Amino acid sequence: MCQNQKFWGGRYNPIIPVNNGEIPDNYLEYIKYSDPDFVFYSEGTNLTKVESFLNPKKYYKIEKFGTPKFEGLDCTYLLEHSTDDALLCESGYLYKSNLKDNLQFYELNFLFQSYFFDKHELLHRYKKITINHDNLKDINKIIALESLIYKSILSKRDVYTNIFKTSELIDQNLELVIADENEQFNDLLYYWNRQMYLEKHNYCLNQIYITVQQLERLSNDRDFHLLLSSLSKSKDIKVHSETLNNSRLQEIININLLNDKKMVNFFIKEQGKFPFKIDDIQYYKHMDEKVYTKQVLIENQGLLNLPKPSFAASKNLSQEKWAVDIIIEDVNEQENRRNKIKLPFGTFIFD
């Protein structure tokens, strides 16, 4: 999950469970409407069902002890220099500190990782707030009060993707997903894949994931409650778990969240079995976020200059990849116009 959040759009890459080599039937619809360009699958996975309706560019087999090699644009390049936001990062040695038992909470929710600014041109010029041994005890207050941006948000910024529409009433309040650290599989799947049902928002988190054990340790810090309050715009937080029943969940809320440090309201709401039934999809477009350039070719031998996004100004983009949509119009409506247009080998053409 952290690996996906490193890339532009990675927060919308579904993660599908496989049981004894078989993909559960209740996830087939989810996969179909996701319409992936690339499919990574583990050894022994039966792909027969999905191959009947998917047409990805390529399938990648994940070796038994290997790590999937994801490619894409590092979402760090989506940082906006025109804002006052600072990037949240860490010194690289916190796994040895008092934070080590809760480090995964910050890594998953905020992609809280170390950066080598001297080796990254863009980050070297960007404002940053680094958590180290000196300010470690104030980490929750820093996240709550400072104007920060996290890579977990950057990974879903300015993404044009399918959003699933469902008759299930999805609460738009911030959701706190709680799991026991010894039984997290289904809760992690829910936390990750529910994003496909949520309307895109560039600047805030929709969910926070935490284990019972992490919550017990963090809830004693008043600044942790300040952090939850700062993330919840409505001051109401929905609490959910796929594995803990409601009575156990309410007990956890009463002990750890409804104490004298409480700053927001917490509630439990019944909902249908996940993944939710998909009634329709909405292709998310924000026209005001797109940048258009128009070129007119007045000669048959004219050359089209490919437009570059703002992040392409960096000199360190040799290994990064992105796509550009090009619409070609023939004002003279000549016949066989496609035979007169020369495009690079491998170009996708939609007529």
Side-chain angles (χ1 to χ4, degrees):
M1 293 180 182
C2 290
Q3 185 73 10
N4 270 285
Q5 290 185 102
K6 293 179 182 179
F7 296 103
W8 182 20
R11 187 60 181 88
Y12 291 94
N13 290 338
I15 298 177
I16 308 300
V18 176
N19 300 323
N20 297 320
E22 298 296 330
I23 299 171
D25 288 341
N26 61 340
Y27 264 96
L28 293 178
E29 183 182 56
Y30 190 99
I31 298 172
K32 177 182 178 180
Y33 285 108
S34 299
D35 191 24
D37 296 316
F38 300 94
V39 174
F40 292 81
Y41 65 97
S42 56
E43 185 177 0
T45 301
N46 183 358
L47 298 174
T48 305
K49 293 179 181 178
V50 297
E51 286 177 333
S52 65
F53 57 78
L54 281 188
N55 186 30
K57 184 177 180 181
K58 191 170 183 178
Y59 287 92
Y60 290 94
K61 180 181 176 181
I62 304 172
E63 299 301 328
K64 188 173 183 180
F65 298 104
T67 301
K69 185 180 179 182
F70 299 115
E71 293 183 332
L73 177 72
D74 186 329
C75 64
T76 308
Y77 288 96
L78 300 180
L79 290 170
E80 297 178 359
H81 291 279
S82 59
T83 71
D84 293 327
D85 291 340
L87 185 69
L88 178 69
C89 55
E90 60 113 330
S91 61
Y93 299 96
L94 298 187
Y95 65 93
K96 299 179 181 178
S97 70
N98 294 333
L99 190 68
K100 63 180 184 297
D101 292 334
N102 297 320
L103 194 56
Q104 288 185 340
F105 168 78
Y106 298 100
E107 288 176 340
L108 179 60
N109 292 297
F110 308 108
L111 202 61
F112 184 63
Q113 295 181 329
S114 58
Y115 296 97
F116 300 97
F117 289 87
D118 58 329
K119 297 181 180 179
H120 198 306
E121 174 205 6
L122 190 149
L123 289 178
H124 184 69
R125 296 184 282 108
Y126 198 78
K127 292 175 295 183
K128 56 188 180 294
I129 292 181
T130 302
I131 304 298
N132 51 41
H133 290 286
D134 295 331
N135 60 5
L136 182 63
K137 66 181 187 305
D138 297 320
I139 180 173
N140 293 317
K141 181 187 292 186
I142 291 172
I143 298 176
L145 299 182
E146 296 288 348
S147 181
L148 295 172
I149 190 70
Y150 341 108
K151 290 188 74 172
S152 56
I153 287 182
L154 291 176
S155 66
K156 65 189 186 78
R157 174 175 285 183
D158 296 337
V159 175
Y160 308 102
T161 187
N162 291 340
I163 298 296
F164 299 161
K165 310 303 290 183
T166 178
S167 56
E168 185 73 31
L169 296 178
I170 298 180
D171 201 289
Q172 295 298 322
N173 289 287
L174 178 70
E175 183 178 62
L176 183 66
V177 181
I178 302 179
D180 188 283
E181 66 180 19
N182 298 314
E183 193 178 1
Q184 299 188 61
F185 183 75
N186 288 330
D187 287 292
L188 282 169
L189 282 176
Y190 170 81
Y191 160 76
W192 187 262
N193 290 326
R194 181 178 178 264
Q195 184 66 40
M196 297 296 292
Y197 295 89
L198 299 173
E199 293 188 359
K200 182 172 71 69
H201 196 297
N202 281 338
Y203 302 101
C204 70
L205 297 177
N206 303 108
Q207 294 171 288
I208 294 293
Y209 183 90
I210 194 168
T211 66
V212 177
Q213 292 76 6
Q214 290 168 347
L215 182 58
E216 289 173 347
R217 292 188 292 266
L218 290 170
S219 63
N220 293 320
D221 180 7
R222 184 174 183 82
D223 289 337
F224 173 72
H225 295 267
L226 178 65
L227 169 60
L228 292 180
S229 176
S230 70
L231 294 173
S232 173
K233 306 306 178 184
S234 66
K235 303 306 177 186
D236 290 310
I237 296 179
K238 176 192 172 188
V239 182
H240 179 78
S241 177
E242 288 288 291
T243 52
L244 302 171
N245 60 43
N246 285 351
S247 60
R248 173 62 178 140
L249 210 53
Q250 189 62 57
E251 179 185 10
I252 294 170
I253 293 173
N254 293 341
I255 295 174
N256 300 288
L257 296 173
L258 298 182
N259 52 31
D260 58 346
K261 303 177 181 65
K262 163 183 168 303
M263 298 183 186
V264 296
N265 300 313
F266 299 91
F267 66 94
I268 301 172
K269 183 179 179 181
E270 293 287 349
Q271 62 183 36
K273 185 176 177 58
F274 192 83
F276 307 132
K277 185 180 183 305
I278 302 171
D279 299 320
D280 196 4
I281 59 172
Q282 177 179 349
Y283 185 68
Y284 230 96
K285 294 182 180 180
H286 283 253
M287 303 304 292
D288 57 329
E289 295 175 357
K290 288 189 174 183
V291 177
Y292 292 90
T293 61
K294 193 169 186 177
Q295 301 177 37
V296 179
L297 304 182
I298 58 177
E299 298 179 358
N300 289 338
Q301 287 76 33
L303 294 177
L304 179 70
N305 295 315
L306 287 179
K308 288 187 176 182
S310 59
F311 52 73
S314 172
K315 299 177 182 178
N316 292 342
L317 277 171
S318 58
Q319 302 300 319
E320 307 296 337
K321 297 182 179 181
W322 65 89
V324 176
D325 290 328
I326 298 176
I327 301 174
I328 300 177
E329 297 180 358
D330 187 345
V331 294
N332 294 322
E333 298 183 353
Q334 300 178 21
E335 295 183 2
N336 301 320
R337 62 186 184 278
R338 288 181 61 163
N339 295 330
K340 298 179 180 180
I341 300 174
K342 306 297 183 182
L343 298 173
F345 178 76
T347 301
F348 289 98
I349 300 177
F350 300 91
D351 199 342

